[in-house]
Amino acid sequence: TLGLSLLLKDAEHGYASFQAGPIALGLAVAGEDHADLVGRPTGIGLAVDDLVSAHARLEALGVVFTMPPERQPWGGFMALLADPFGNTLYLDEVSAAHGSDSSG
């Protein structure tokens, strides 16, 4: 749904890897010993060039957003979305004013 290309899927081990721009994003199913981690904020963000368009496209595909695109007090422009298990991820619009500063 997010438009990431599947690199590897191993159903037996509950793992999948996706191409996410210049990085690979690996995801694993949380076992019973980590069930308390399901349904929480993940801290995982995906950068997009146009947040308003990405939000509209994904919402039309049925993605549930828990926060629509909003300008943040720290200057970012982001939206929160829930995966099918209720885990929260975010979309962050990358612009020349935000995200390109390599000074950390």
Side-chain angles (χ1 to χ4, degrees):
T1 303
L2 297 177
L4 305 177
S5 299
L6 180 65
L7 296 174
L8 171 76
K9 180 178 179 181
D10 185 340
E12 180 181 350
H13 295 100
Y15 179 81
S17 179
F18 300 87
Q19 187 69 47
I23 66 164
L25 174 65
L27 301 174
V29 174
E32 290 181 27
D33 54 335
H34 293 101
D36 61 324
L37 299 177
V38 177
R40 302 174 17 164
T42 63
I44 297 171
L46 302 170
V48 296
D49 292 327
D50 182 344
L51 180 58
V52 172
S53 294
H55 173 264
R57 181 180 65 80
L58 293 172
E59 196 169 51
L61 291 171
V63 173
V64 175
F65 281 84
T66 59
M67 182 185 85
E70 291 182 6
R71 182 73 53 196
Q72 300 301 302
W74 46 269
F77 187 42
M78 63 185 283
L80 300 178
L81 60 109
D83 74 6
F85 302 99
N87 301 301
T88 304
L89 300 90
Y90 67 92
L91 296 181
D92 185 16
E93 183 173 300
V94 177
S95 68
H98 171 67
S100 61
D101 180 9
S102 62
S103 64

